[in-house]
Amino acid sequence: MELGRSRIPESELNLYYTLFSGQCFGWDEGEGGFSGFFRWDGATRHARLRREGDLVLYETDAPPDWFSRYFNLRININEVYESFPDDPMLKEAVKRFRGMRVLGQDPWEALVSFTVSQNNNIKRIRLIIRRMVEAFGRFPEPEDLTNESLLLRLGLGYRARYLVGIAEKTLSGEFDPARPQEISGLLCLPGVGKKVAQCTLLYGYGVNHAFPVDRWIKRLVGSCPDYGPYAGWAQLYLYMLAREGGIAPPEAKAIYFGNKGGLR
């Protein structure tokens, strides 16, 4: 495990909000920091993180540039905020979750994770992914996902056949997750609809304008809002705001929530 450090204030990287915002599922919070697993450069890697003031200290078996790439540090988060439209709900979300970043994850991990996420909650997604990691000794690779009966025993339900179909297309060479993808290519995969495809583009391929729409977002802003070049980042902030109970100023509640102040 290699040791590293990065000087970045919490206002530009909030580890808790970033790691527990529903965009990744392999991290845990413990005494003094965070530990987790993730797929990186074709292998399952591990890391431990903790913050000391403006320093983030980390220990990992991933390559040296992992930290900056995984947390998308090449992107100036203040420029992201400046690109957002003048929207009261979004302003409140940024105020509440400042420093939350969209991660730069491995495309295969994002595709598998968000296929598992269909009609699921975060607690159960985390549980299922951990069961697969325990069963295979690593984050599941395509060759691990060919046995539907085993996946059913791990709790995948109807999603098992989707993962088997995706794995078969990957092993045959028909689909290559390492190559940049368009949404049309992802939608051709078994069980992959618009939400899973947009999540995979945003979190796995770095398509920052990709805008996943789930029930939280649809209730808030509909299906086709224009949030600019970092629309996917805006979506993550709005999603967290909705998930955490619709914290919003009165003028935003009137627009998005109606008179009762709750999600409609």
Side-chain angles (χ1 to χ4, degrees), residues 80-100:
V80 173
Y81 296 149
E82 290 170 4
S83 76
F84 289 164
D86 186 13
D87 179 288
M89 182 69 76
L90 196 48
K91 284 183 177 179
E92 182 65 20
V94 170
K95 178 181 176 182
R96 174 71 172 82
F97 303 107
R98 182 171 289 274
M100 179 171 63

Side-chain angles (χ1 to χ4, degrees), residues 28-227:
D28 292 298
E29 184 180 19
E31 289 187 14
F34 308 90
S35 61
F37 63 85
F38 47 90
R39 188 178 189 269
W40 198 259
D41 290 345
T44 300
R45 311 287 188 172
H46 304 81
R48 290 191 288 269
L49 310 165
R50 75 177 190 275
R51 177 173 283 285
E52 293 184 0
D54 282 350
L55 279 179
V56 175
L57 307 178
Y58 56 92
E59 185 177 5
T60 183
D61 56 3
D65 64 347
W66 162 78
F67 184 82
S68 62
R69 290 169 59 197
Y70 189 73
F71 287 101
N72 264 328
L73 299 188
R74 64 181 177 79
I75 294 177
N76 185 324
I77 199 168
N78 293 310
E79 292 180 0
V80 173
Y81 296 149
E82 290 170 4
S83 76
F84 289 164
D86 186 13
D87 179 288
M89 182 69 76
L90 196 48
K91 284 183 177 179
E92 182 65 20
V94 170
K95 178 181 176 182
R96 174 71 172 82
F97 303 107
R98 182 171 289 274
M100 179 171 63
R101 287 179 168 269
V102 167
L103 293 171
Q105 297 180 69
D106 173 87
W108 176 254
E109 180 179 0
L111 175 60
V112 170
S113 297
F114 285 101
T115 299
V116 172
S117 78
Q118 296 182 66
N119 294 313
N120 234 333
N121 59 59
I122 290 177
K123 182 178 180 180
R124 182 158 175 76
I125 298 164
R126 286 166 54 86
L127 175 63
I128 291 172
I129 290 175
R130 279 164 168 73
R131 284 177 181 168
M132 290 195 291
V133 170
E134 290 174 3
F136 304 123
R138 60 185 181 180
F139 188 87
E141 297 293 330
E143 56 268 29
D144 298 323
L145 299 176
T146 58
N147 187 330
E148 185 174 348
S149 296
L150 174 57
L151 296 180
L152 288 170
R153 291 198 297 273
L154 295 176
L156 271 296
Y158 68 88
R159 306 165 197 85
R161 68 177 183 273
Y162 296 159
L163 290 180
V164 170
I166 293 170
E168 289 175 346
K169 284 182 176 288
T170 303
L171 292 169
S172 71
E174 185 177 346
F175 173 72
D176 182 359
R179 297 178 61 184
Q181 296 293 324
E182 301 285 343
I183 191 168
S184 57
L186 294 172
L187 290 174
C188 290
L189 296 173
V192 174
K194 288 184 178 180
K195 182 213 166 184
V196 172
Q198 294 280 16
C199 285
T200 303
L201 288 174
L202 176 61
Y203 302 121
Y205 290 100
V207 181
N208 290 306
H209 62 267
F211 194 89
V213 176
D214 62 3
R215 62 191 178 95
W216 299 103
I217 294 300
K218 194 169 185 178
R219 289 170 177 175
L220 283 176
V221 298
S223 58
C224 297
D226 181 9
Y227 285 113

